[in-house]
Amino acid sequence: VQLVQSGGDLVQPGGSLRLSCVASQFTFSDYWMNWVRQAPGRGLEWVATIKEDGSERYYLASVRGRFTVSRDNTKNSLILQLSRLRLEDTAVYYCARGAIAGHGATRINYDSWGQGSLVTVSS
Amino acid sequence: QSVLTQPPSASGTPGQTVTISCSGSNSNIGSNYVSWFQQVPGTAPKLLIYWNDQWPSGVPDRFSGSKSGTSASLAISGLRSEDEADYYCATWDESLSGVVFGGGTKVTVL
């Protein structure tokens, strides 16, 4: 199982950014996928979850309406579109594989993680 | 302030057993499975325990998880120097409709 991330960058407050996570070595369309972030020196914070077919999405309250999680099962890719970025969104963002289809978003067996993408929001 | 409460630190000598607690409520731990993650600083988290007490392949059984009511715990037996890391509990919260993590516990091997 491999998850390779790209897209982290320095961005000004109010700006936008697109994070990508490309999966390989497993059937991507069979799994829920997730984003988790970690601010510098802080703990883990869940950001978003998307069902295997994209029909269900869940967001952390503070990012709802600003971030959008999506997936392209034909390209084995997971996307997190970040907009109206705030200073407090500065963090390393990880993608993580979740539960297999048939299980729900409540099964937190995040067994494979990407390498992380650093998003820095600063003027 | 995290929804799930963990002690900030724990320690033990090699060979000892260290136990980390994770306290929540009926809307999270009380009604959903708990997972535990290990994170060495500067690296991605690693799944240690899922569905309260299950091991992913490759995780030694020195790590064990349990849950009772609105609390869960992770025990590390036969403590080794390579167990020095940060440990996080996580579960789904029905009220928030999202995943909640504990604040993390830093384990030090003395």
Side-chain angles (χ1 to χ4, degrees), chain A residues 7-117:
Chain A
D9 206 346
L10 169 64
V11 61
Q12 290 189 337
S16 299
L17 200 60
R18 184 175 184 267
L19 302 183
S20 174
C21 171
V22 177
S24 60
Q25 309 295 326
F26 70 98
T27 305
F28 181 70
S29 58
D30 281 350
Y31 288 85
W32 291 76
M33 293 298 296
N34 313 275
W35 290 96
V36 175
R37 69 184 179 184
Q38 186 168 36
R42 305 293 296 273
L44 300 175
E45 182 177 51
W46 168 81
V47 174
T49 289
I50 185 169
K51 194 176 179 180
E52 64 271 10
D53 62 2
S55 62
E56 293 181 33
R57 309 178 197 203
Y58 301 90
Y59 295 95
L60 176 68
S62 64
V63 309
R64 193 175 295 125
R66 300 188 299 120
F67 291 8
T68 301
V69 60
S70 62
R71 63 192 297 162
D72 184 342
N73 287 346
T74 65
K75 297 180 180 179
N76 290 345
S77 69
L78 175 72
I79 303 296
L80 185 67
Q81 181 69 43
L82 298 76
S83 61
R84 290 186 280 150
L85 281 160
R86 304 169 180 169
L87 297 177
E88 56 265 32
D89 295 320
T90 294
V92 174
Y93 286 72
Y94 295 100
C95 61
R97 187 176 80 165
I100 197 166
H103 292 161
T106 62
R107 304 290 180 103
I108 318 303
N109 46 319
Y110 296 177
D111 61 354
S112 296
W113 294 67
Q115 82 276 19
S117 294

Side-chain angles (χ1 to χ4, degrees), chain B residues 17-47:
Chain B
T17 296
V18 168
T19 301
I20 301 168
S21 61
C22 176
S23 178
S25 67
N26 287 327
S27 68
N28 43 66
I29 292 178
S31 49
N32 287 291
Y33 290 111
V34 176
S35 296
W36 289 90
F37 298 89
Q38 176 193 59
Q39 187 183 33
V40 174
T43 69
K46 172 187 175 182
L47 179 66

Side-chain angles (χ1 to χ4, degrees), chain B residues 6 22 44 52 58:
Chain B
Q6 297 181 233
C22 176
N52 301 334

